[in-house]
């Protein structure tokens, strides 16, 4: 019997975002692996084993799942959002590249999900309506200087910027420094969106500007979208504001 | 009676990507608007009117849908992939900003979907596993010089690059020029993925390198992912290759 490993994107959290493909992959798995809070979103099924692990144990989790699949089981690893965006899919590929031959010949599949930046953008309008980039502010796995260089390049060239992992307990100053750096490229009126826990209990979406944005308003569950010079805020009487980036861009030199 | 407008992401095409939230929005609409081939993906429902329009008529489509919603109807506009990524959500916001007051006070909602770059990435591994950007190669609505500047910035700073709209009948040379520009920043072995019609009939995914990539291999239905210097290809005996970008990045100066 041949085992399989499927890396499944759960989307932001609420079941209304879970695709039928992801749902089928969860149903068919004999064993589920994942970060505890993500596994808790998946209803229990008789006969299906569950293996929760901690947030920072991606490589060990991937190895354990690959090992069980190589022994013939149908295994799924769950990931919040999309597994391919700052999540489990890369960790699984790393293990496959450097692991035993039996892992390289396994049937492996990746099931996409609604990633956080798409969910936050949908709550507020269309801030990612034109060219944008997605950047992790975590300097656990890359030097801070590289993050600064990427922020400079993206803001200088007019990309909207989705900032993942802005803050953690071990990284208290990085987001504030990133905002200060972006203020050197972009005017104070540039729209900024803070999306916290979007699609989950405790959801909070705030629209502000780069001039007024406070680094203390983000936490581990927050995704931040910093607009370009083209991004606009539409005030609406009696309704929440919309934020969008027009499809046409005219500026060549910032 | 208050009308509503919902902008709905259908995902790549196959119903297995359609979220329950999108499905509910389609079911509840009294009128559906969209580009003909996208509308064709939605099963017909009794009592629901359908208004197909051409690819390049986004503003007129958005205005017609807003107008009907302002008259009290529950209206949905469908979009391929995610409506917020190079799609209908920005066109709707443009119309709301510059249209009559009655459009600004409407209940408007955006339903995210699996966007093409996530679907292509999932087919091949995790090429978007670390910092990346999404860039439209269409110079219909922005100058080509701005596209070149953004390609320079993104490749120079080590972002993986997802190229949307690489080619159309009216834009035959732009994608080849973009590849030539990227070759000035990145080594010939840099992985490149061509994902054509992913999630639809005629799907074809090709892994090549920047040195070997041929601009003629893309069409209007193709999304191209150009790796960074960190992106890797895993050859697998008897299986298709995996492409991924590791979670750790070390390089500061390209």
């Amino acid at each position: 019997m041949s085992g399989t490993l499927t890396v499944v994107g759960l989307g932001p959290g609420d079941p209304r975002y879970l695709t039928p493909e992801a749902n089928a992959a969860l149903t068919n798995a004999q064993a589920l692996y994942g970060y505890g809070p993500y596994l808790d979103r998946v209803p229990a099924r008789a006969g299906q084993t569950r293996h929760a692990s901690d947030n920072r144990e991606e490589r060990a989790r991937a190895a354990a799942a690959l090992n069980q699949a190589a022994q013939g089981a149908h295994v799924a690893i769950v990931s919040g959002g999309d597994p391919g965006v700052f999540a489990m899919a890369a960790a699984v590929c790393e293990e496959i590249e450097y692991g035993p031959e039996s892992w390289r010949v396994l049937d492996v599949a990746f099931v996409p999900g609604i990633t956080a930046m798409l969910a936050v953008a949908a709550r507020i309008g269309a801030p990612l309506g034109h060219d944008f980039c997605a950047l992790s502010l975590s300097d656990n796995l890359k030097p801070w200087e590289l993050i600064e260089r990427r922020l400079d390049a993206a803001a200088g060239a007019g990309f909207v910027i989705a900032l993942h992992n802005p803050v953690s307990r071990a990284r208290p100053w990085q987001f504030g420094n990133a905002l200060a750096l972006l203020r050197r490229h972009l005017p104070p009126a540039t729209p900024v969106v803070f999306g916290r826990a979007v699609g989950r209990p405790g959801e909070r979406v705030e629209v502000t500007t780069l001039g007024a944005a406070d680094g203390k308003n983000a936490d581990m569950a927050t995704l931040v979208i910093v607009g370009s010079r083209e991004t606009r805020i539409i005030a609406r009487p009696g309704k929440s504001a919309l934020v969008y980036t027009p499809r046409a861009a005219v500026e060549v030199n910032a």
Side-chain angles (χ1 to χ4, degrees), chain A residues 177-210:
Chain A
N177 279 31
L179 289 174
L181 182 153
L182 292 170
R183 289 188 186 110
R184 298 203 295 265
H185 292 280
L186 295 164
T190 305
V192 174
V193 179
F194 287 73
R196 189 185 176 283
V198 164
R200 299 191 292 286
E203 168 175 325
R204 194 175 65 233
V205 179
E206 182 200 357
V207 177
T208 181
T209 62
L210 188 56

